[in-house]
Amino acid sequence: MVKKRFIAGAVCPSCSASDTLMLIIESKGSETVECVECGYEASEPESKPAAPELDEGMIGLFKP
Ligand SMILES: [Zn+2]
């Protein structure tokens, strides 16, 4: 199953159009970014934002 969704606020590096980039998530888990305006395509290798370690720290501090 392939999921597609638009990336809000994203600007295409190829045609500079905004809100035309779609994130395509394949069943394998690989992610591809595609521009519906110009056909620009790019794989998205581990560009996930680093998870904030704040939660872990807060749990550590919060001991009853
Ligand atoms: Zn484009």
Side-chain angles (χ1 to χ4, degrees), residues 23-43:
L23 181 65
I24 301 164
I25 305 167
E26 293 181 41
S27 52
K28 300 171 192 170
S30 60
E31 296 178 359
T32 306
V33 175
E34 188 180 308
C35 176
V36 295
E37 187 68 25
C38 69
Y40 169 83
E41 227 176 275
S43 56

Side-chain angles (χ1 to χ4, degrees), residues 12-17 20-21 35-40:
C12 175
S14 182
C15 69
S16 298
T20 59
L21 289 181
C35 176
V36 295
E37 187 68 25
C38 69
Y40 169 83

Side-chain angles (χ1 to χ4, degrees), residues 3 12 15 17-19 21-22 25 27 30 34 38 41 43-44 46 48-49 51-52 55-57 59-61 64:
K3 292 178 187 175
C12 175
C15 69
S18 58
D19 293 331
L21 289 181
M22 276 177 65
I25 305 167
S27 52
S30 60
E34 188 180 308
C38 69
E41 227 176 275
S43 56
E44 189 92 329
E46 296 181 41
K48 289 164 192 166
D55 288 344
E56 211 172 309
I59 292 168
L61 287 170

